[in-house]
Amino acid sequence: MPEESTTPGLVELLRRCFEAISARDLDEAQRVLTHDAVLDMTRTIGVVVHGRDAIRAFQEDWLAGYEEVAYTAEEIIDAGNGVAFVRVLQTARPAGTTGDLTQREPNVWITEDGRVVRVIVYPNSELDEARAVAERLAEERG
């Protein structure tokens, strides 16, 4: 898989998206999605969310459960042809608690014309599989 891209395109787009979600600026986060984008979390929580509006509603509900939350893209690799591998660290304090939780999830992001069409979220235990999927999809799209 190629090293992280030196061009600001896809890598910068994804960094801005994670910053916006962490700031709870869902308007900004939604700008990167196509109208019919898909958020596939079947491997983690068993849910697939279809469409930008449904993704926003899901994100609002998810974020409402936390008093503090931050999403950090610890690693972003532009695999080429509109595909990226992202290792995400979620740090959060659930509402009504004093303790924090952390969770890492590898993601595969697929874009077309500079907008996100699909995000596939994997559990951290499938880190290598997520990397391999990103690489395979990039090759297939090439």
Side-chain angles (χ1 to χ4, degrees):
M1 188 177 296
E3 292 298 313
E4 185 172 309
S5 174
T6 56
T7 58
L10 183 55
V11 171
E12 185 57 30
L13 176 84
L14 298 180
R15 284 194 199 287
R16 285 194 320 257
C17 183
F18 284 108
E19 288 171 4
I21 294 169
S22 294
R24 299 180 187 244
D25 184 353
L26 297 184
D27 289 336
E28 183 62 29
Q30 294 287 301
R31 291 183 209 280
V32 305
L33 302 175
T34 61
H35 179 71
D36 58 350
V38 174
L39 177 57
D40 182 348
M41 299 171 289
T42 55
R43 291 167 180 82
T44 55
I45 62 172
V47 173
V48 179
V49 183
H50 297 270
R52 185 173 48 216
D53 293 339
I55 292 171
R56 182 187 181 104
F58 176 84
Q59 288 174 324
E60 287 172 347
D61 288 346
W62 185 266
L63 292 173
Y66 299 102
E67 290 184 30
E68 295 177 16
V69 65
Y71 291 88
T72 305
E74 294 184 308
E75 177 182 16
I76 301 176
I77 298 174
D78 183 341
N81 298 313
V83 178
F85 167 82
V86 184
R87 190 181 60 198
V88 180
L89 171 64
Q90 177 185 356
T91 306
R93 184 166 41 89
T97 69
T98 58
D100 291 340
L101 64 85
T102 59
Q103 172 175 291
R104 283 186 171 81
E105 293 177 328
N107 297 185
V108 175
W109 291 62
I110 304 163
T111 65
E112 291 178 5
D113 300 322
R115 305 219 25 232
V116 176
V117 296
R118 186 173 195 89
V119 178
I120 308 167
V121 180
Y122 292 81
N124 199 45
S125 62
E126 296 180 17
L127 176 69
D128 293 336
E129 180 181 342
R131 285 181 196 271
V133 166
E135 187 173 295
R136 180 180 50 80
L137 288 172
E139 288 175 14
E140 288 175 359
R141 297 179 91 203

